[in-house]
Amino acid sequence: MKGLKRYKDHEGEIAFVKNKGLPRTVQNAIYQEGLKALKQRMGRHHQPERTILLVGGAGYIGTVLTAHLLRCGYRVRCLDLLLYQNQVCVLPFLSNDHYEFIYGDLADASIHDAVLSGVTDVVLLAGLVGDPITKKYPEASEVINDTGLLQLIKNLQGRGLNKVIFVSTCSNYGLIKTNELADENFALSPLSLYAKAKVRVEKEILSQKGRVDYHGTVLRFATAFGLSPRMRFDLTVNEFAREIFLKHDLLVYDADTWRPYCHVQDFCTLIERVLVFPTGLVSFEVFNCGGAVNNFTKQMIVDKVREFLPDARVSYKEHGTDPRNYKVDFKKVRERLFFEPRYTVADGISEIIKAMQQNLFVDIEKNREFFGNYSIEYKMNSVGCLQNSGGQEVVS
Ligand SMILES: NC(=O)c1ccc[n+]([C@@H]2O[C@H](COP(=O)([O-])OP(=O)(O)OC[C@H]3O[C@@H](n4cnc5c(N)ncnc54)[C@H](O)[C@@H]3O)[C@@H](O)[C@H]2O)c1
């Protein structure tokens, strides 16, 4: 098998160089895992490289992940509906032979065969992301985040896929009134449409254990921060850094509520780790994704920004519309996947301030829809689901 020989040289080198910090036994296991996935794939489809389908790969996390996976030697196929006019984010990838973009709606089951053809692994990122946007568009949210995603998951079976990663959220823990840390077994208490759909999809994925031919993994992400080609300034760390940099008055609700945060680059490292780690360690497992060092209250974020910008003008109010409060335990991801975040909240604030100083975000107000999940245009299509309307009919 010629392709296998190439893989051995190439991936073997990657496994040993890239995972240098990991114990030798784990490096060996990663290498063997890669060989196993490849042999299985070549037997079925005679296709040497791993091709990762990123559903929602044009978004805030997806674009950073695309660059990361291409750098690591994977092929990437992206399915995205470009709900935020974020097409510009995929343009730089189009000249890469290992990249393919497909414009389409995950809720349109008629495209699933074509989109999944030749793919080895799937990362599910797409959806209406965040409490406010799902509250604003409940109908679209149900079509995409619930029924659409569940149908897509049903269609993953029987294709010889290797790994399927569902990106979920620590928002599923909702409001924890005590000082307890939520580990993966902590009771889920989703408060928003967004988190309720995530919990339903998590359950569906985990219920497939032993019934499907792929390995599913659920990753509950902390709130992301850091720079991305599809920048989101509706995320707390990014928003606070930007507002304070611009000398705006920042109004902070419920300053003492806790949440975990994690840099977008660290999430990419973690997703790739799930792709390469032995299936026995990740198959039908749930991981909280982040690190204890980045469990922060909103007040602590303000204080960090003040270390860079001491003149910050901040006022406070209690009883905002978002009651979430959760501190998260990241022991499992640390002990099993050897994952510790490389970036702190301070690193994220610093990179955003530097980018602002270099005039990289001067057009935010003119192009607000691009820079956060504020509004979308989405309508029913001919197959009975909603789709991106390209500026016509709006569902709200
Ligand atoms: N950003 C965070 O703080 C955070 C925290 C926890 C979990 N997550 C999870 O990470 C994932 C990615 O989040 P993000 O911040 O990159 O969000 P994002 O909104 O920037 O990206 C989502 C992408 O999905 C696409 N999309 C939406 N509906 C689609 C559809 N029907 N068909 C095809 N594509 C569609 C959008 O066009 C967009 O490019 C989500 O699953 C989210 O729940 C994010």
Side-chain angles (χ1 to χ4, degrees):
M1 284 184 168
K2 212 166 131 225
L4 201 57
K5 160 93 178 64
R6 228 174 70 213
Y7 173 87
K8 275 188 173 174
D9 298 344
H10 173 63
E11 281 301 285
E13 207 173 298
I14 291 182
F16 290 112
V17 174
K18 192 161 51 64
N19 299 308
K20 223 168 27 194
L22 300 175
R24 193 74 184 173
T25 47
V26 176
Q27 291 184 40
N28 267 320
I30 290 172
Y31 178 51
Q32 293 307 327
E33 176 69 15
L35 280 182
K36 197 175 77 195
L38 184 64
K39 273 187 195 152
Q40 183 188 342
R41 192 70 207 165
M42 287 180 76
R44 263 181 99 101
H45 301 283
H46 309 288
Q47 184 188 310
E49 283 106 352
R50 278 173 93 172
T51 300
I52 318 297
L53 172 66
L54 302 186
V55 183
Y60 174 68
I61 294 171
T63 45
V64 180
L65 180 61
T66 300
H68 181 84
L69 293 178
L70 288 172
R71 251 192 331 267
C72 291
Y74 296 94
R75 286 178 182 272
V76 172
R77 178 181 294 162
C78 168
L79 169 70
D80 202 293
L81 196 54
L82 304 172
L83 281 181
Y84 305 100
Q85 281 73 57
N86 42 333
Q87 45 272 32
V88 65
C89 303
V90 302
L91 291 180
F93 301 127
L94 294 179
S95 58
N96 190 321
D97 288 343
H98 285 191
Y99 181 79
E100 185 188 355
F101 179 78
I102 299 177
Y103 172 76
D105 187 347
L106 72 86
D108 178 358
S110 71
I111 65 170
H112 290 173
D113 280 349
V115 165
L116 288 163
S117 159
V119 162
T120 55
D121 307 80
V122 177
V123 184
L124 298 167
L125 294 152
L128 295 196
V129 178
D131 295 5
I133 191 116
T134 49
K135 190 173 176 193
K136 192 168 173 188
Y137 303 100
E139 202 181 338
S141 169
E142 197 191 327
V143 170
I144 299 173
N145 294 5
D146 269 273
T147 48
L149 207 43
L150 291 173
Q151 183 60 48
L152 175 58
I153 289 166
K154 214 178 244 173
N155 287 344
L156 297 177
Q157 157 62 359
R159 295 176 190 272
L161 289 170
N162 181 35
K163 286 174 178 156
V164 172
I165 299 173
F166 175 56
V167 178
S168 187
T169 170
C170 288
S171 285
N172 294 350
Y173 298 117
L175 168 57
I176 302 179
K177 290 192 175 138
T178 61
N179 209 21
E180 278 172 285
L181 288 177
D183 68 11
E184 289 79 357
N185 297 318
F186 200 87
L188 299 180
S189 173
L191 301 174
S192 59
L193 274 183
Y194 169 63
K196 284 177 183 160
K198 288 286 190 194
V199 170
R200 268 194 291 279
V201 175
E202 277 193 7
K203 279 193 181 142
E204 179 59 24
I205 299 237
L206 297 172
S207 75
Q208 299 301 314
K209 184 175 179 179
R211 294 157 56 186
V212 288
D213 59 350
Y214 58 79
H215 301 278
T217 303
V218 170
L219 300 182
R220 288 188 191 139
F221 276 18
T223 301
F225 62 84
L227 293 173
S228 159
R230 195 261 150 162
M231 194 54 198
R232 283 187 59 189
F233 283 109
D234 57 339
L235 298 170
T236 312
V237 172
N238 300 350
E239 181 194 3
F240 285 12
R242 171 182 173 256
E243 290 298 296
I244 294 173
F245 176 85
L246 291 174
K247 301 191 188 311
H248 292 168
D249 292 323
L250 178 69
L251 174 58
V252 175
Y253 281 97
D254 303 309
D256 295 325
T257 49
W258 287 90
R259 223 125 5 114
Y261 296 88
C262 187
H263 197 284
V264 63
Q265 296 283 358
D266 278 324
F267 283 141
C268 299
T269 304
L270 191 44
I271 286 178
E272 207 239 334
R273 206 158 277 188
V274 175
L275 288 172
V276 298
F277 259 50
T279 47
L281 290 176
V282 297
S283 185
F284 293 96
E285 293 287 341
V286 180
F287 293 94
N288 288 336
C289 299
V293 63
N294 290 332
N295 269 330
F296 264 55
T297 62
K298 291 185 196 170
Q299 181 63 61
M300 287 160 72
I301 298 175
V302 170
D303 294 343
K304 272 287 165 228
V305 180
R306 272 194 211 277
E307 289 176 16
F308 296 87
L309 302 165
D311 296 335
R313 293 202 308 255
V314 184
S315 53
Y316 299 93
K317 263 192 181 168
E318 291 301 304
H319 310 300
T321 52
D322 182 357
R324 281 176 296 171
N325 181 52
Y326 44 90
K327 248 174 154 175
V328 175
D329 183 330
F330 297 104
K331 187 165 172 249
K332 182 173 174 184
V333 77
R334 192 178 67 242
E335 292 190 348
R336 200 179 280 204
L337 302 185
F338 303 92
F339 175 79
E340 283 278 17
R342 276 176 56 211
Y343 297 87
T344 60
V345 168
D347 293 331
I349 293 167
S350 162
E351 72 178 27
I352 286 160
I353 292 174
K354 280 187 190 144
M356 300 287 298
Q357 284 167 338
Q358 298 308 319
N359 276 1
L360 293 182
F361 296 110
V362 284
D363 55 344
I364 296 177
E365 291 312 326
K366 274 187 271 166
N367 195 7
R368 199 175 130 78
E369 308 319 325
F370 175 85
F371 287 104
N373 294 356
Y374 304 113
S375 64
I376 56 164
E377 294 177 346
Y378 193 77
K379 67 168 187 174
M380 292 296 260
N381 73 11
S382 54
V383 291
C385 61
L386 295 153
Q387 72 172 18
N388 193 359
S389 71
Q392 297 143 35
E393 201 177 316
V394 180
V395 173
S396 59

